[in-house]
Amino acid sequence: MPPSSHSPLRRPHPAAPATWPGHGTGGDAGHTSHEAQAGSVSCAGDFEHRQERLMAVIGFIGSGLVGSAVARRALAAGHQVVMSNSRGTRSLARLVREFGPAARAATPGEAATVADLVVLAIPYGKFPRLPRDELTGRIVLDACNYLPYRDGRDRAIDEGRTSTAEVLAQRLPYSTIVKGLNTIAAGQILADATPPGTPNRRAIPIAGDDIIAKQIVARFIDDLGFDAVDAGPLSGGRGPHFDPRTAWQPPLTAPALAAALT
Ligand SMILES: NC(=O)c1ccc[n+]([C@@H]2O[C@H](COP(=O)([O-])OP(=O)(O)OC[C@H]3O[C@@H](n4cnc5c(N)ncnc54)[C@H](OP(=O)(O)O)[C@@H]3O)[C@@H](O)[C@H]2O)c1
């Protein structure tokens, strides 16, 4: 599988004009990185009228229930996927064979290096083992949750002083973190996906401090089969709409989720 010749989902260099193929310099071109959004703005509408499909290389760190479900949807949308886990490429041979020629296995570092967008789907307790150097300059879609019984106690999260995504942003200071996909069960990623414009399409909240990165992630989530709703800055990931204990049910449409976030 060759690397993508262009990188439609890669975070533009800060000095580059904030343009997207097919979107021109939209209303967000004037925003700078780390210009956090106040309030809730639905990203879904930005992508409603897109006409062309863009293919990208999606790197997965974590290829379990969530990683493989997202990869299946990404493949269905025409993306290439590079899967990685903690045990090495041989343990992923069957999965990538099943996925077909647009998939391959790699180390986490290589998956990060070749990716236009990285999907992180590992236990929160494994964050210290992430390939920080290879993730430099990458947009990382953080689908992870903190589960104390699995990950060990984290008092700062327990006390609401931080969130998994903010911890990740500290660990990966040269990556751009967007929180999302952590509040939908792996099986629902497959079962609830619908094409754009489907009535009552399920919406997924995303949070991040970088508007362009959030647009890119929203577009990817649209490709997966869901509307993305911007829930504001990364610190918004501390809120109930990202808490795995409170955010699961009922699934909301984009207008309902946007209303719930205000
Ligand atoms: N399951 C759900 O419905 C769901 C929904 C939303 C969010 N989440 C969250 O998403 C994350 C993943 O959940 P999951 O259910 O997919 O877990 P899972 O099925 O147990 O898969 C975890 C994956 O992470 C990999 N991994 C662990 N440490 C790693 C490391 N240092 N580098 C690279 N890969 C590593 C594992 O590889 P090995 O097997 O080789 O160790 C495995 O592929 C968790 O934070 C979870 O709380 C889960």
Side-chain angles (χ1 to χ4, degrees), residues 83-137:
M83 310 303 296
S84 75
N85 65 6
S86 74
R87 284 168 295 144
T89 55
R90 287 178 66 170
S91 66
L92 291 165
R94 197 153 86 180
L95 184 70
V96 295
R97 201 165 43 241
E98 181 198 332
F99 279 174
R104 70 180 176 91
T107 63
E110 191 189 356
T113 301
V114 301
D116 297 314
L117 172 71
V118 176
V119 175
L120 182 65
I122 66 173
Y124 169 71
K126 306 292 183 185
F127 278 10
R129 294 180 54 198
L130 286 171
R132 178 157 44 175
D133 291 347
E134 290 90 339
L135 285 164
T136 292

Side-chain angles (χ1 to χ4, degrees), residues 140-214:
V140 180
L141 171 53
D142 167 24
C144 306
N145 283 319
Y146 156 64
L147 302 176
Y149 66 83
R150 178 193 64 191
D151 300 317
R153 281 238 163 260
D154 185 317
R155 284 189 59 183
I157 294 183
D158 286 341
E159 292 168 6
R161 288 184 278 118
T162 190
S163 62
T164 58
E166 291 167 279
V167 171
L168 186 65
Q170 280 179 338
R171 284 199 170 275
L172 304 175
Y174 305 113
S175 307
T176 305
I177 313 300
V178 178
K179 188 76 194 178
L181 293 177
N182 67 308
T183 55
I184 178 168
Q188 295 172 341
I189 293 169
L190 300 171
D192 291 0
T194 55
T198 301
N200 298 320
R201 194 185 201 209
R202 184 167 179 172
I204 292 181
I206 60 174
D209 294 338
D210 187 301
I211 288 183
I212 302 296
K214 283 195 285 193

